[in-house]
Amino acid sequence: MKWLILLLLVPSCLAHLNVYLSVAEVMRLLGLTAELFYVRDGQINVYALNFVVPVPATINELHFTWQSLTRKPLPYTLSAEVKSNSEAMHPPTFNISNEGYVPTEPQTWRVDLPCMRTIAAEVDLTISLNVSTGSSSTTLHFRRKKICLKEAIRPAVRVDSVPHAPTSADIFYAGSGCAGGIILIAAIAAAACRARARKLRRARSDEQDAHAFLPDSSCKSAASYTSYRRPTSLPAVAAEERARDLQQRIAELTIQRCRVRLRSVAMEGTFGRVYRGTYADEEAREQEVLVKTVAEHASQVQVSLLLQEGCMLYGLHHERVLSVLGVSIEDQTAPFLLYPWDAGWRNMKLFLLACRGVTIGGAPGGAPPPPLTTQHVVRMALHALDGLLYLHSQHVLHKDIAARNCIVDENLRVMIADNALSRDLFPADYHCLGDNENRPIKWLALEALTKRQFSPAADVWALGVLLWELTTLAHQPYAEVDPFEVAAYLRDGYRLQQPANCPDELFAVMAYCWAMSPDDRPTLPQLQIFLRDFHTQLTRFV
Ligand SMILES: *[C@@H]1O[C@H](CO)[C@@H](O)[C@H](O)[C@H]1NC(C)=O
Ligand SMILES: *[C@@H]1O[C@H](CO)[C@@H](O)[C@H](O)[C@H]1NC(C)=O
């Protein structure tokens, strides 16, 4: 109840202030694409303030952004106090003055956390910000737990990547950091919820005025922020709506875990697990679902990736796209992602392998599927193309088109899914090139691989590789090429070889997708026309 009371005490002076962590800062600390508001338009996110944010050993400075939304001067005082293990860290310093006025333009300031490096310790510290107007003043406390190590350590790595070989620093960090990060995700979701609740209140302001600071009762716990919404009832998605940030998506998608029943493990990786199960909605109607989750030993980064990648296709509705149905973050170490499912559906890579008589990753064998004809293959490719065409029309680049990220039903209809957990479930398809980022190297277009440039044309390249996977029944692309050599190999003009039994016309299309310059690759509509024509020709001969 503490935060509720604190919310009631929010003085009106703070109604004209923003204090937040920018997208870049949240990405750096937690690997999430989101802003974290401590104060948004005066509303204090006490939920977020209450959590101790772990600061890994690799990060030695914190950035805060603030802005006064009023033209009246807003005086502040800043201080930082080391609460424990002060022998491990010098007093933190700010790169702005300890007192002054909050600027009316957004300003980012920095807190330096200078570890002494003489001992290893977890240092608890509090950064206090006191803002006053007229007679009243409010103090906000930002609590951090900084990991200090003994020796100098490597510079910060990109946090949006899966750590490959954990260093001692990572292990040290994992114990104290994991829960904190997830709690913060919950806090982000809570903030989004309150922002929405406020909007709602504004809409009904006449009746609600007296209780302007009372939090909506539906926001009390992570489980009940929002009721589950059937995706089919959502209105058509506008492009701008697609751009909503992750926190909003998580808040909107949150469902109660008690409504989910797990039945059997469908796939299992090192830290990721996929279950079949059922979901019961408010009216107790059950539906089949697929559940993606991580094991309890998963790192914070892996959890963040699960949520981020799992929410990638949220809000998109197309018969060739499988998007997430719900999220549960009640268990902070192992969030759930739910997808609509059907008994006959299968992961396309596993399906193709089964066509060859190969099973991997604990996938149930089942009856071997009937042999695939070229006609089947072209039709399946056309389905994937339809899905991708739709994603691009919604201004979404998939960036990881591959058989492993597609679903196929018993009538060989294909859907594109997100790539959450794919790194873990198909480890052979992802590689690190010494940069700690696990990427689908052999599906990436040259410019995506070397310059990290993604465009619709990079998705077209990957679609070409998908076509190759279909015709080879999921052989590994460039099996003989070392991942480190792939860029040079492609630059020298080498490409995947024509699969046996693959008609020349079809291989020509693939090769066209792998043109060096993105501008030289076919567009999806061009590809669609060609594949349709080719499909028609094939049916004519049957
Ligand atoms: C303080 O540091 C931040 C982040 O490094 C920087 O963006 C900002 O310009 C600095 N401000 C001042 C006054 O030096
Ligand atoms: C905040 O600053 C004002 C003005 O300097 C001071 O009067 C007040 O006591 C401070 N509040 C707290 C809680 O430190």
Side-chain angles (χ1 to χ4, degrees):
M1 285 319 257
K2 198 164 88 194
W3 59 275
L4 198 147
I5 293 160
L6 281 167
L7 269 178
L8 287 171
L9 294 176
V10 172
S12 54
C13 68
L14 277 186
H16 304 293
L17 176 70
N18 282 340
V19 182
Y20 58 99
L21 305 186
S22 66
V23 173
E25 180 70 356
V26 176
M27 175 55 86
R28 210 164 66 98
L29 283 172
L30 296 160
L32 286 173
T33 310
E35 283 175 330
L36 175 60
F37 275 85
Y38 287 105
V39 182
R40 189 202 286 263
D41 197 10
Q43 291 273 332
I44 299 181
N45 182 357
V46 182
Y47 197 71
L49 279 173
N50 271 345
F51 291 111
V52 183
V53 179
V55 183
T58 47
I59 294 180
N60 295 312
E61 52 185 56
L62 301 171
H63 298 173
F64 290 83
T65 309
W66 65 5
Q67 179 181 16
S68 163
L69 303 172
T70 165
R71 253 174 273 136
K72 268 182 276 165
L74 274 187
Y76 73 85
T77 56
L78 258 182
S79 60
E81 195 184 345
V82 176
K83 302 273 189 187
S84 74
N85 291 319
S86 56
E87 66 280 9
M89 197 200 289
H90 297 288
T93 54
F94 302 100
N95 79 338
I96 56 167
S97 160
N98 285 6
E99 48 179 292
Y101 296 95
V102 181
T104 49
E105 296 293 312
Q107 181 195 32
T108 298
W109 45 273
R110 196 177 73 220
V111 191
D112 288 302
L113 306 175
C115 286
M116 289 186 192
R117 309 212 177 286
T118 47
I119 59 164
E122 289 184 4
V123 182
D124 292 300
L125 60 119
T126 301
I127 297 150
S128 302
L129 166 65
N130 176 352
V131 180
S132 44
T133 22
S135 52
S136 64
S137 71
T138 306
T139 306
L140 306 174
H141 299 288
F142 308 97
R143 292 153 68 205
R144 301 289 182 267
K145 189 187 281 293
K146 167 80 180 117
I147 311 298
C148 284
L149 295 183
K150 219 166 161 180
E151 73 284 16
I153 72 161
R154 68 206 159 88
V157 295
R158 286 176 59 95
V159 286
D160 56 343
S161 58
V162 174
H164 206 53
T167 64
S168 61
D170 292 332
I171 292 162
F172 186 50
Y173 171 37
S176 60
C178 189
I182 301 310
I183 288 168
L184 205 57
I185 294 170
I188 290 172
C193 167
R194 264 201 293 283
R196 249 197 351 205
R198 205 163 62 237
K199 238 184 270 162
L200 210 70
R201 276 199 301 276
R202 258 184 215 145
R204 314 172 292 185
S205 57
D206 7 330
E207 39 184 308
Q208 295 279 320
D209 246 3
H211 306 288
F213 288 115
L214 261 176
D216 193 296
S217 62
S218 67
C219 294
K220 270 179 195 158
S221 76
S224 54
Y225 294 146
T226 44
S227 59
Y228 162 72
R229 275 206 254 158
R230 292 190 72 75
T232 44
S233 70
L234 285 172
V237 194
E240 57 183 26
E241 208 177 318
R242 287 283 320 140
R244 272 176 317 184
D245 45 11
L246 182 63
Q247 65 194 65
Q248 184 87 18
R249 294 187 193 189
I250 290 177
E252 291 186 3
L253 277 165
T254 299
I255 53 145
Q256 288 170 304
R257 180 158 300 202
C258 58
R259 298 182 180 279
V260 182
R261 297 252 174 287
L262 300 181
R263 219 176 32 233
S264 58
V265 176
M267 284 180 84
E268 193 163 13
T270 320
F271 65 85
R273 214 165 280 157
V274 180
Y275 294 91
R276 295 214 181 78
T278 51
Y279 172 80
D281 64 15
E282 277 99 350
E283 283 112 62
R285 279 182 306 229
E286 287 216 333
Q287 80 179 95
E288 290 284 314
V289 290
L290 193 78
V291 177
K292 290 188 185 178
T293 185
V294 290
E296 286 194 358
H297 61 268
S299 74
Q300 183 189 331
V301 173
Q302 288 160 337
V303 169
S304 303
L305 269 178
L306 172 76
L307 288 173
Q308 194 162 6
E309 295 180 336
C311 290
M312 175 175 79
L313 303 182
Y314 165 56
L316 296 176
H317 303 288
H318 190 270
E319 58 173 344
R320 300 283 164 241
V321 173
L322 179 75
S323 55
V324 65
L325 189 67
V327 172
S328 162
I329 52 173
E330 277 167 52
D331 178 349
Q332 295 162 351
T333 54
F336 271 24
L337 292 180
L338 255 64
Y339 299 81
W341 200 250
D342 193 277
W345 294 5
R346 299 182 73 174
N347 177 287
M348 190 159 94
K349 176 148 181 157
L350 298 183
F351 167 81
L352 293 172
L353 288 169
C355 290
R356 262 204 287 147
V358 184
T359 56
I360 63 160
L372 286 187
T373 62
T374 303
Q375 215 177 315
H376 289 137
V377 162
V378 174
R379 214 172 55 219
M380 291 166 80
L382 272 166
H383 289 167
L385 191 148
D386 282 348
L388 191 56
L389 205 52
Y390 167 73
L391 293 189
H392 287 183
S393 77
Q394 301 297 308
H395 308 285
V396 174
L397 296 178
H398 189 287
K399 301 186 185 177
D400 197 0
I401 291 287
R404 63 183 170 273
N405 295 326
C406 292
I407 307 296
V408 60
D409 74 7
E410 62 267 80
N411 295 318
L412 299 183
R413 283 183 301 231
V414 174
M415 276 167 284
I416 294 180
D418 60 55
N419 63 340
L421 293 189
S422 289
R423 280 182 197 77
D424 186 53
L425 300 172
F426 300 94
D429 294 359
Y430 293 85
H431 299 280
C432 289
L433 296 187
D435 53 3
N436 232 2
E437 196 182 352
N438 217 347
R439 298 192 293 157
I441 301 295
K442 295 182 173 180
W443 279 259
L444 290 179
L446 185 58
E447 74 281 2
L449 176 56
T450 56
K451 295 186 231 144
R452 292 168 200 271
Q453 285 170 354
F454 284 94
S455 62
D459 275 347
V460 166
W461 177 299
L463 193 67
V465 182
L466 172 72
L467 199 45
W468 186 89
E469 287 184 282
L470 283 166
T471 50
T472 58
L473 300 180
H475 271 281
Q476 285 299 109
Y478 322 95
E480 70 293 352
V481 183
D482 184 286
F484 281 90
E485 304 290 329
V486 171
Y489 188 84
L490 296 176
R491 223 181 271 119
D492 288 346
Y494 294 103
R495 294 293 183 269
L496 289 164
Q497 281 171 8
Q498 180 165 0
N501 307 326
C502 172
D504 289 347
E505 297 95 314
L506 196 55
F507 184 66
V509 177
M510 297 180 204
Y512 193 15
C513 294
W514 305 324
M516 196 82 83
S517 158
D519 297 335
D520 294 341
R521 290 171 213 153
T523 63
L524 287 178
Q526 287 169 341
L527 215 50
Q528 192 174 37
I529 290 169
F530 178 84
L531 287 176
R532 278 189 184 153
D533 285 353
F534 186 57
H535 189 258
T536 314
Q537 278 177 37
L538 288 171
T539 41
R540 207 175 286 148
F541 290 121
V542 174

